[in-house]
Amino acid sequence: MDALDTAILRVLALDARATFAQVGEHVSLSAPAVKRRVDRLRERGVIRGFTVRLDPAAMGWQTEAFVELFCQGSTSPATMRSAVEHYPEVVAASTVTGDVDLMVQVRARDMRHLERVVERLAAEPFVARTRSTVVLSALVRRPDVPPAPEG
Amino acid sequence: MDALDTAILRVLALDARATFAQVGEHVSLSAPAVKRRVDRLRERGVIRGFTVRLDPAAMGWQTEAFVELFCQGSTSPATMRSAVEHYPEVVAASTVTGDVDLMVQVRARDMRHLERVVERLAAEPFVARTRSTVVLSALVRRPDVPPAPEG
DNA sequence: TTTGAAACTGGATGGAT
DNA sequence: ATCCATCCAGTTTCAAA
């Protein structure tokens, strides 16, 4: 993980389908050199994969919410994960500090759909109660990017 | 946006660097046919771009938090956005329902870094106060995917 | 209108240096 | 890491369904 790797990842974050030659122009490297570094970053797991960025509204995802779960006693993160990862509507889930135990981000077609998902989450055996916050508008949404050098 | 487009997007969500021929095998279409559809999806803005999925820890992002902002009187979403989008540490920001006005997701190198970012956010002129929730562990993190057919 | 086949252009990839 | 040669993917054109 040197400055060149970071520079390559920065280019790929903006356009993951850029050719190795195009990436090479940005970082002053030949195409084969870029390829070798990308292959190595994949092997090491730094790169988890490549994906497409979609317009959620165009896809039919019109409603988004943060659903906070308060869990019974000491529910293990593994239990929480396996419960929550079966929902296709769950975009992200994290255990967090504070009174909430699990923060779940849900994407649904509409309010009716969201309501059903929240009801199903609330019915999970380890869930004591839920608190939902609906997203009004997504102001910023950025892809993964390597951190800037100390500042 | 028909079933073929959706199928193509599903394949690209899993591997955005798949060749058009490979995508075509999954959806029973020739490479040129796939390319034409992908081009059209980009033109229409359904596809916003292609990006890389990174291991945040490997990148030096060790700390993540939800920072809720309570704003003065009626601050416009445009004001919130332009303030918040200048922070490289801000991964996402959304206006939300409830007592919180703006939900900001922040990624920082460490607690010290996170603290400074929260201080800067709190010092924004329109911010009355903040409430932060630190992520303990990210259980699920999924890329954008087209919704499943009604269920 | 959208597809598949063919042809051409240019990128991916492995080996030599 | 670059250069080069080979192979294969991207891209355009065209004819057909």
Side-chain angles (χ1 to χ4, degrees):
Chain A
M1 263 323 286
D2 59 7
L4 276 172
D5 288 330
T6 302
I8 289 170
L9 293 177
R10 232 178 274 283
V11 175
L12 289 177
L14 292 174
D15 179 11
R17 281 185 79 94
T19 68
F20 292 133
Q22 288 170 334
V23 176
E25 288 197 9
H26 283 91
V27 304
S28 306
L29 230 51
S30 69
V34 173
K35 183 201 184 305
R36 273 192 298 271
R37 281 173 177 268
V38 170
D39 285 347
R40 202 158 147 273
L41 288 167
R42 294 189 78 151
E43 279 165 21
R44 289 171 45 203
V46 175
I47 293 178
R48 293 190 167 167
F50 299 93
T51 193
V52 61
R53 298 179 64 195
L54 300 172
D55 175 2
M59 296 310 312
W61 295 126
Q62 305 231 334
T63 307
E64 196 177 340
F66 294 92
V67 181
E68 296 163 297
L69 304 187
F70 299 80
C71 301
Q72 311 271 11
S74 63
T75 308
S76 75
T79 303
M80 297 183 196
R81 169 198 257 124
S82 55
V84 122
E85 71 184 356
H86 293 124
Y87 293 72
E89 297 89 352
V90 170
V91 166
S94 307
T95 54
V96 295
T97 60
D99 53 345
V100 171
D101 298 295
L102 188 63
M103 173 76 95
V104 180
Q105 288 175 258
V106 171
R107 208 167 266 177
R109 284 185 296 274
D110 50 33
M111 277 293 173
R112 197 174 133 270
H113 184 190
L114 175 62
E115 186 174 19
R116 274 185 293 133
V117 174
V118 173
E119 276 170 13
R120 280 166 55 212
L121 284 169
E124 292 287 345
F126 61 86
V127 174
R129 72 184 188 91
T130 69
R131 181 172 60 199
S132 299
T133 304
V134 174
V135 169
L136 293 173
S137 77
L139 264 31
V140 176
R141 201 151 299 269
R142 259 202 281 268
D144 291 348
V145 159
E150 287 293 324
Chain B
M1 263 324 285
D2 59 8
L4 275 173
D5 288 329
T6 301
I8 289 170
L9 293 177
R10 234 177 272 280
V11 175
L12 289 177
L14 292 175
D15 179 12
R17 282 183 78 92
T19 66
F20 291 132
Q22 287 169 335
V23 177
E25 287 197 11
H26 284 91
V27 304
S28 306
L29 230 51
S30 68
V34 173
K35 181 199 185 311
R36 275 189 297 265
R37 280 171 177 268
V38 170
D39 286 347
R40 201 156 147 272
L41 288 167
R42 295 189 78 150
E43 279 165 22
R44 291 171 44 202
V46 175
I47 292 179
R48 293 190 167 166
F50 298 93
T51 194
V52 62
R53 297 180 66 195
L54 300 172
D55 175 3
M59 296 310 310
W61 295 127
Q62 304 231 333
T63 307
E64 197 176 340
F66 294 92
V67 181
E68 296 163 296
L69 303 187
F70 299 80
C71 301
Q72 312 271 11
S74 64
T75 307
S76 76
T79 302
M80 299 183 195
R81 168 196 258 125
S82 54
V84 123
E85 72 184 355
H86 293 124
Y87 293 73
E89 296 89 353
V90 170
V91 167
S94 306
T95 54
V96 294
T97 59
D99 52 346
V100 171
D101 297 296
L102 188 63
M103 173 76 95
V104 180
Q105 289 174 257
V106 172
R107 207 167 266 178
R109 283 186 297 274
D110 49 33
M111 276 293 173
R112 198 174 133 269
H113 184 190
L114 175 63
E115 187 175 19
R116 276 185 291 132
V117 174
V118 173
E119 277 171 12
R120 281 165 55 211
L121 285 168
E124 292 286 345
F126 60 87
V127 174
R129 71 184 187 89
T130 69
R131 181 172 60 199
S132 300
T133 303
V134 174
V135 169
L136 293 174
S137 76
L139 265 29
V140 176
R141 200 152 298 271
R142 258 201 282 267
D144 291 348
V145 159
E150 288 292 325

